[in-house]
Amino acid sequence: MNIAIFNAHESDVRRYGRTFPVLLDSAAGPRVFDVTGRGYLDFILGSGALNYGHNHPAIKSALQEYLARDSILLSLDMYTEAKARFISEMVTGILGPRSFDYKIQFPGPTGTNANEAAMALVRKVTGRPTIFAFSNSFHGMSLGSLCVSGSESTRDLGGIAKHDVVRLPYDGFISPDFPSQDYLECIVTKPGAGVDLPAAIILETIQAEGGLNTASVSFLRSVERICRENGILLIVDDIQAGSGRTGSFFSFEEAGITPDIVTLSKSLSGLGIPLSVVLIRPEFDIWKPGEHSGTFRGNNMAFVTGAAALSLWRDDGFLDQVSWLTLEMDTRLDQLCKAFPDHITSRKGRGLMCGVEVAPSINARDVIASAFARGLILESSGPDRQVLKVFAPLTIEKEALDDAFGILTESFEEVIHEG
Ligand SMILES: Cc1ncc(COP(=O)(O)O)c(C=O)c1O
């Protein structure tokens, strides 16, 4: 087998395979291996879906044990032992310690399924059609999620009018000092603003695909207050920023807010198996039985691996590792910025959801190509794709981190030298 088959038969829509044209075969921890046995450090991690690294031993063995018997694999929303364990782990290990009493909806397997369900629910709860969404947001590829996404290329898709969305400037979008929360409060409360009260506001606390733009604590608290005071529901899309990417399980813990609805997916299953949930404050769980569905909402393999992944958040060794890594990434990204002051504009993101903005003097795409040739897989985001996402697996060890930052430094040096 070689990659010619993809060029001949796979749709032109494919993207990553063009940038990284190797035939991948196996993966362990921070590394993926191609069929020749060459290893690459993977700092894309399924776009944030493999926070625990590839084939985490405890998560994988839970699935192996489950598969070794004739366990039930697909069950719609029937009751299964695997789902009971997942819910129990979510309630006792994650929600309870944080004093959250969310009900858990299983909508369908992907992130966009969760956002669609969340938006349908807030419209049903409030009887209002409009949703406020932010500049540079990305919420998924199905039509409702496209409508609330800010990215131009995403919004160009769909081919139909994108109704019932009012776009707001995200924190820092207009300028570092522009108070977007004041603008929000103004259009919600001032007579004559000409904007109908929305059902909800949907936001990412850090905009993953939008270029790792980070909402401040004060912005998030203001948005929560404005929502509460005006009967607007707050949806936090924690699909990429949640499940530990920022260093805490939920990305909004630092701000101390309690969104009305939280959507999770990506790293929720821990092993890269599709799984998503909608966490709903109990008073808003007004679904009628069967009113929302999805064939793959009963993916028991994902429940098994998800429960194993969630249980890591009760393991002191794992928590110490995450704290260590958070400090390491902070120091190392600082050093990278200092090493290339003319070619890196700024640090981006927060916690382990981090990266750097590459200055217009060089092209992030060239840094990615150079890093790949040296054995590091990276991607960029943002409207002009100049923000390098430096996503380490939460489980990475010092040696692999040294390798990754060594490669990053050499790649910048090469691109700058050639430019
Ligand atoms: C913040 C956010 N929301 C939603 C999605 C969509 O998730 P999925 O691709 O699983 O539908 C993504 C995917 O990148 C995302 O980053």
Side-chain angles (χ1 to χ4, degrees):
M1 279 290 169
N2 64 41
I3 60 169
I5 192 164
F6 305 106
N7 297 332
H9 300 291
E10 192 182 350
S11 160
D12 281 351
V13 79
R14 68 195 186 283
R15 175 173 138 210
Y16 290 103
R18 297 174 195 266
T19 315
F20 310 110
V22 290
L23 205 53
L24 295 173
D25 179 42
S26 60
R31 288 191 171 79
V32 294
F33 299 89
D34 69 17
V35 283
T36 70
R38 181 164 185 208
Y40 300 84
L41 284 160
D42 179 8
F43 271 39
I44 293 184
L45 296 171
S47 210
L50 292 160
N51 282 351
Y52 307 94
H54 291 268
N55 286 312
H56 186 286
I59 303 176
K60 191 174 88 172
S61 69
L63 180 60
Q64 283 171 323
E65 275 167 37
Y66 192 72
L67 288 175
R69 332 181 250 116
D70 276 339
S71 304
I72 185 154
L73 298 184
L74 185 65
S75 55
L76 301 175
D77 63 9
M78 285 177 234
Y79 302 144
T80 67
E81 179 76 19
K83 185 157 146 183
R85 286 221 188 90
F86 177 84
I87 292 176
S88 165
E89 199 59 65
M90 178 60 97
V91 171
T92 57
I94 303 290
L95 301 181
R98 292 163 178 81
S99 303
F100 292 147
D101 61 352
Y102 292 117
K103 300 280 288 293
I104 306 167
Q105 179 188 357
F106 297 92
T110 71
T112 201
N113 291 137
N115 283 339
E116 295 284 353
M119 290 188 280
L121 182 60
V122 295
R123 287 175 165 134
K124 185 175 154 69
V125 167
T126 61
R128 295 177 220 132
T130 312
I131 294 185
F132 282 6
F134 286 96
S135 52
N136 275 325
S137 57
F138 178 73
H139 298 290
M141 282 286 173
S142 53
L143 273 181
S145 300
L146 288 179
C147 291
V148 285
S149 291
S151 125
E152 218 173 296
S153 59
T154 306
R155 290 178 59 71
D156 280 349
L157 292 172
I160 59 162
K162 289 157 187 84
H163 290 295
D164 296 329
V165 176
V166 169
R167 185 77 37 200
L168 300 175
Y170 193 68
D171 194 17
F173 178 72
I174 291 182
S175 76
D177 303 324
F178 182 85
S180 295
Q181 64 272 34
D182 293 355
Y183 174 72
L184 164 65
E185 185 151 31
C186 192
I187 62 167
V188 166
T189 57
K190 286 222 165 137
V195 179
D196 294 334
L197 199 66
I201 296 178
I202 185 166
L203 65 79
E204 301 158 87
T205 66
I206 301 173
Q207 298 184 314
E209 300 312 311
L212 298 181
N213 311 310
T214 307
S216 65
V217 164
S218 66
F219 175 80
L220 293 173
R221 288 185 184 156
S222 299
V223 172
E224 183 191 51
R225 176 186 58 74
I226 295 162
C227 283
R228 293 279 140 79
E229 287 175 3
N230 295 282
I232 302 165
L233 272 66
L234 175 60
I235 305 171
V236 169
D237 174 345
D238 232 10
I239 285 163
Q240 191 160 162
S243 301
R245 185 36 58 198
T246 62
S248 52
F249 185 81
F250 293 107
S251 71
F252 49 85
E253 288 178 45
E254 186 188 59
I257 59 169
T258 305
D260 298 302
I261 295 185
V262 182
T263 52
L264 290 172
S265 184
K266 292 212 183 249
S267 286
L268 183 62
S269 81
L271 205 66
I273 300 177
L275 175 67
S276 79
V277 295
V278 186
L279 303 178
I280 307 166
R281 281 183 54 196
E283 60 270 43
F284 300 124
D285 182 31
I286 60 159
W287 289 120
K288 293 198 180 73
E291 197 177 16
H292 191 279
S293 69
T295 304
F296 290 106
R297 70 193 184 281
N299 179 359
N300 286 269
M301 287 185 285
F303 296 146
V304 169
T305 59
L310 293 180
S311 75
L312 290 172
W313 293 88
R314 290 189 282 110
D315 174 340
D316 287 339
F318 173 74
L319 296 177
D320 287 348
Q321 155 74 19
V322 172
S323 306
W324 166 80
L325 184 60
T326 308
L327 292 176
E328 279 291 314
M329 291 299 286
D330 194 45
T331 312
R332 288 169 189 253
L333 284 174
D334 259 357
Q335 285 165 353
L336 194 70
C337 292
K338 283 196 187 111
F340 304 105
D342 298 333
H343 303 282
I344 296 180
T345 324
S346 62
R347 285 266 305 269
K348 299 284 308 233
R350 176 164 60 78
L352 300 170
M353 188 153 186
C354 53
V356 292
E357 177 151 23
V358 176
S361 52
I362 56 172
N363 199 322
R365 210 179 37 223
D366 296 334
V367 180
I368 291 170
S370 173
F372 177 59
R374 292 176 157 77
L376 172 66
I377 297 182
L378 289 169
E379 69 177 331
S380 63
S381 72
D384 47 12
R385 302 209 78 86
Q386 280 288 85
V387 175
L388 275 183
K389 293 167 81 181
V390 186
F391 280 21
L394 307 189
T395 49
I396 196 169
E397 290 173 358
K398 182 176 176 305
E399 199 195 352
L401 205 57
D402 288 344
D403 288 351
F405 275 87
I407 292 174
L408 254 179
T409 306
E410 285 167 20
S411 305
F412 269 99
E413 277 163 358
E414 182 188 56
V415 172
I416 292 164
H417 183 71
E418 285 184 352

